[in-house]
Amino acid sequence: TIARRATNSPIGFCGGTLLAPEGKVVISAAHCFFEDSGDLIQPVGEIVAAVHRHDLTEGPDEHECSALIEVEEVIKHPRYNDEYWTDFDVAIVKLKDAPPCVADGTGRTSTAYLDPEYSQPGAVLRAEGWGATDQNYRDYPEKLHEVYLDVMSNADCAHLLPGAISDNMLCARAPGKDGCIGDSGGPLVYEDEDGTTMLVGITSWGPNGCAIWDEPGVWCRVSEVVDWIAEHVDVAAPGSVAPTLSKSPTVAPSAAPSATPTVSPAPTYA
């Protein structure tokens, strides 16, 4: 999760995905850090990252790889909010220090690749985060939650959300499941046939309410921003020496509207 030290927001956090091998880069959503105008919501010095977390009640020393780390720089996509609201909703968050260690691949802090491919409609993907679990945005879990969602075609999604969906977005839904306020910036992932976790989407936005069937959640499509990310950090393609990403939002709670509530609690890992 990524947390602001001082904010008037009732939530004050977003999710993110930790990029390896050094673990000094987080992939998150641009709207977590930037106004629609492109200006930073808060100074970088007021943002901290809580890496390798699952249970927020455990504190920053949840296990040997957990830590609170200051942020050095936040870079938004140059076309953020270009033609569509929250288009290219991706940010690179550079940390001042690497985590104490990189999670060993067990539990919800295993590593993943950035997925350079288009995710087909009908694919089942997993969203994770500590976002709201009710329609009134009042209930937030202490432990990381996850839900499995079905990818929609952009044409079907645009029919439900006319004028709002670009090729750089990905829509997904499942009955009674979604991401929500507080899940922004977190991962949408799957495991390939080799068990490698692939990052497909970055939780971005949703219409009115969460887990509403005809108002699906929307993610930034990673395949459309991989090249831009590679301009700023080392990114390897699957099958090569890959930059690894933490599978859960392993960075601590920054606020902004997210896409939708994660309803099912993820299993607890040490």
Side-chain angles (χ1 to χ4, degrees), residues 98-188:
C101 55
V102 176
D104 62 6
T106 60
R108 284 294 182 263
T109 54
S110 61
T111 58
Y113 290 103
L114 292 174
D115 191 343
E117 303 296 331
Y118 179 89
S119 186
Q120 298 299 323
V124 178
L125 304 176
R126 184 177 66 253
E128 302 179 2
W130 289 274
T133 57
D134 70 311
Q135 292 286 354
N136 297 316
Y137 317 134
R138 294 174 181 171
D139 297 330
Y140 294 85
E142 295 173 339
K143 295 180 181 179
L144 181 69
H145 277 44
E146 63 180 23
V147 290
Y148 287 86
L149 305 170
D150 299 317
V151 176
M152 302 175 62
S153 71
N154 274 30
D156 288 344
C157 190
H159 178 73
L160 296 173
L161 306 174
I165 303 302
S166 77
D167 292 341
N168 311 303
M169 301 177 189
L170 180 155
C171 302
R173 64 181 180 178
K177 299 179 181 180
D178 204 347
C180 203
I181 297 291
D183 288 323
S184 287
L188 187 67

Side-chain angles (χ1 to χ4, degrees), residues 31-173:
H31 78 256
C32 290
F33 308 96
F34 295 92
E35 305 280 4
D36 289 347
S37 64
D39 296 329
L40 275 168
I41 296 172
Q42 279 188 276
V44 170
E46 295 181 0
I47 304 169
V48 293
V51 302
H52 295 304
R53 299 297 307 278
H54 177 84
D55 186 344
L56 298 180
T57 66
E58 294 292 330
D61 55 352
E62 184 174 349
H63 61 77
E64 66 274 13
C65 295
S66 303
L68 287 177
I69 301 176
E70 293 183 347
V71 170
E72 183 174 71
E73 182 182 14
V74 182
I75 306 169
K76 68 175 174 61
H77 196 285
R79 296 184 62 190
Y80 173 57
N81 276 343
D82 190 3
E83 297 182 23
Y84 293 79
W85 179 68
T86 66
D87 203 13
F88 292 101
D89 191 10
V90 55
I92 298 171
V93 183
K94 296 185 177 182
L95 307 181
K96 288 187 177 181
D97 300 294
C101 55
V102 176
D104 62 6
T106 60
R108 284 294 182 263
T109 54
S110 61
T111 58
Y113 290 103
L114 292 174
D115 191 343
E117 303 296 331
Y118 179 89
S119 186
Q120 298 299 323
V124 178
L125 304 176
R126 184 177 66 253
E128 302 179 2
W130 289 274
T133 57
D134 70 311
Q135 292 286 354
N136 297 316
Y137 317 134
R138 294 174 181 171
D139 297 330
Y140 294 85
E142 295 173 339
K143 295 180 181 179
L144 181 69
H145 277 44
E146 63 180 23
V147 290
Y148 287 86
L149 305 170
D150 299 317
V151 176
M152 302 175 62
S153 71
N154 274 30
D156 288 344
C157 190
H159 178 73
L160 296 173
L161 306 174
I165 303 302
S166 77
D167 292 341
N168 311 303
M169 301 177 189
L170 180 155
C171 302
R173 64 181 180 178

